[in-house]
Amino acid sequence: MRIALVGPAHPYKGGGARHTTELAHRLAAAGHDVIIESWRAQYPRRLYPGQQTVDVPEGEPYPRTHRRLAWYRPDGWLAAGGRLRTADLVVFVLLTPLQVPSYLTILAALGRRNRTAVICHNVLPHERRPGDVPLVRALLTRVGAVITHSAAQAAQAKDLAPGATVRTVAMPPHLPAAPHQDHDTERAASPAPQTRLLFFGIVRPYKGLDVLLRALAQAPPHVTLTVAGEFWSDITEMEYLVSELGLRDRVALRPGYVPADQIPALFAAADALVMPYREATASQNALLAFAHGVPVVTTTAGALAEAVRDGVDGLTCAPGDPGDLLRALTEISDPEVAHRLRAGIPAVDPEPGWAAYLRELLAA
């Protein structure tokens, strides 16, 4: 089958680009003729305050990737639609409504002979702008199938486009390679008694870092936190909260993109990853932590907790609840509990998840 994936790929960074690239590799390995139609300029810089691209790939780039799309060139969108008319299946990768005008234009230029689908990493953004809902509704009603990664996202897609064909399949792992080790002996030693927490990834309001800080302020004093990732807004507000809560000696803010080759050392210096999200769709961070032998404390927002077995390889708590998060932090600060959770971490096997994913996509 001739398949075109329309979405971000290297040098764009992040889970969406890694997923698109890995999907292309997997489809090609299954015998399909696959190209990625990607971006040379995905959206204006003022709408994305962080670092958009990287020099060093986060995974193996897909060789048949064409970077011809630009947010400011609608004529290029039309040209892409014309080029992709020979594809049997055209798959759009939706990360933000900002992509929708280009996708609608490509769809219009395709005509009606192609099968089409959209992979919704987020049906709607966590922080919405005027126009997001009608844009996404227009896309979902015009494609042949909608792929979502959780039941909640499927329900949201159905609410927006009741007539759409919506399919749900779990997001498969697409992580930098990391061996599963006995981290009781090989992880970086921490000064006893200390429990080192890690918050990893872009810091945005819906991810609940402020909730984590308020819980940490009441946690045992040997519990510390490193925040590693880009800050979506001014870091000053978070620095003020850290100071106000009396946490300057227990919280290290490490702003900026974390390159893939620095991730192993970051997780080796952590006793637990904390995902205090107020709301969520899905995240690879729990699997990333498991790949490095690190247990996870997560809220039950969205599909976050689906990868975590409460009391076995991590702990779960209610979203937006500093008191319940404090309970989990206090529990994991017990060395015996932390040891038991580390021992329960499974090896991350991507193969079953990808096999199921390809089946759903190709049936769309």
Side-chain angles (χ1 to χ4, degrees):
M1 186 184 298
R2 290 168 295 184
I3 301 174
L5 305 179
V6 185
H10 177 74
Y12 285 96
K13 65 175 179 61
R18 288 198 306 273
H19 177 265
T20 303
T21 303
E22 182 66 15
L23 177 57
H25 281 296
R26 297 272 176 170
L27 288 168
H32 300 285
D33 181 2
V34 183
I35 65 165
I36 299 177
E37 190 76 30
S38 190
W39 301 83
R40 69 173 188 266
Q42 189 166 211
Y43 27 69
R45 181 167 297 278
R46 64 184 175 82
L47 297 180
Y48 187 93
Q51 179 180 337
Q52 292 192 35
T53 60
V54 294
D55 295 325
V56 179
E58 296 179 318
E60 182 65 29
Y62 185 68
R64 298 182 64 200
T65 300
H66 307 288
R67 299 184 60 226
R68 295 179 283 214
L69 298 174
W71 64 267
Y72 52 84
R73 292 295 301 269
D75 58 326
W77 312 344
L78 285 167
R83 286 192 301 270
L84 300 182
R85 285 179 182 172
T86 59
D88 300 303
L89 174 63
V90 179
V91 181
F92 298 91
V93 179
L94 179 64
L95 295 159
T96 167
L98 296 171
Q99 298 166 309
V100 172
S102 61
Y103 289 173
L104 292 176
T105 304
I106 293 171
L107 277 165
L110 280 175
R112 296 184 179 274
R113 292 183 300 173
N114 311 76
R115 288 170 54 200
T116 58
V118 58
I119 294 173
C120 294
H121 287 267
N122 296 297
V123 174
L124 288 169
H126 300 286
E127 296 128 3
R128 297 176 192 171
R129 297 182 176 92
D132 285 349
V133 169
L135 278 172
V136 174
R137 179 183 290 118
L139 179 63
L140 300 191
T141 56
R142 285 167 172 78
V143 293
V146 178
I147 306 295
T148 62
H149 298 136
S150 71
Q153 286 285 285
Q156 190 174 63
K158 274 292 190 183
D159 285 343
L160 284 175
T165 299
V166 180
R167 308 178 75 95
T168 302
V169 61
M171 174 81 78
H174 44 282
L175 308 172
H180 186 76
Q181 302 172 335
D182 180 356
H183 289 265
D184 282 337
T185 58
E186 297 189 35
R187 71 171 33 259
S190 62
Q194 190 178 66
T195 299
R196 303 164 300 177
L197 306 177
L198 174 65
F199 177 104
F200 177 73
I202 296 179
V203 180
R204 299 180 68 165
Y206 75 87
K207 293 190 176 182
L209 177 57
D210 59 318
V211 179
L212 173 55
L213 291 174
R214 295 183 192 284
L216 181 66
Q218 301 176 67
H222 67 273
V223 182
T224 64
L225 172 67
T226 296
V227 179
E230 295 176 288
F231 279 72
W232 191 254
S233 55
D234 191 348
I235 193 176
T236 305
E237 181 180 346
M238 207 57 66
E239 290 175 331
Y240 177 80
L241 182 59
V242 169
S243 179
E244 182 183 47
L245 293 171
L247 292 171
R248 285 198 293 181
D249 293 336
R250 295 169 59 194
V251 174
L253 300 180
R254 178 181 162 174
Y257 166 72
V258 180
D261 61 358
Q262 295 181 19
I263 291 175
L266 190 65
F267 278 85
D271 298 304
L273 175 74
V274 185
M275 300 168 62
Y277 293 26
R278 289 183 167 87
E279 58 178 281
T281 49
S283 173
Q284 291 281 292
N285 280 354
L287 296 178
L288 182 62
F290 290 161
H292 291 87
V294 176
V296 175
V297 175
T298 182
T299 70
T300 54
L304 286 185
E306 290 181 2
V308 177
R309 296 170 296 168
D310 190 33
V312 177
D313 48 32
L315 300 171
T316 63
C317 58
D321 186 339
D324 201 30
L325 179 54
L326 172 61
R327 171 195 56 78
L329 298 185
T330 302
E331 190 173 347
I332 204 166
S333 71
D334 182 331
E336 291 186 6
V337 172
H339 175 84
R340 172 170 54 81
L341 296 177
R342 282 196 300 272
I345 294 173
V348 177
D349 181 5
E351 301 306 321
W354 275 109
Y357 202 87
L358 264 59
R359 283 196 301 272
E360 287 293 326
L361 178 63
L362 295 174

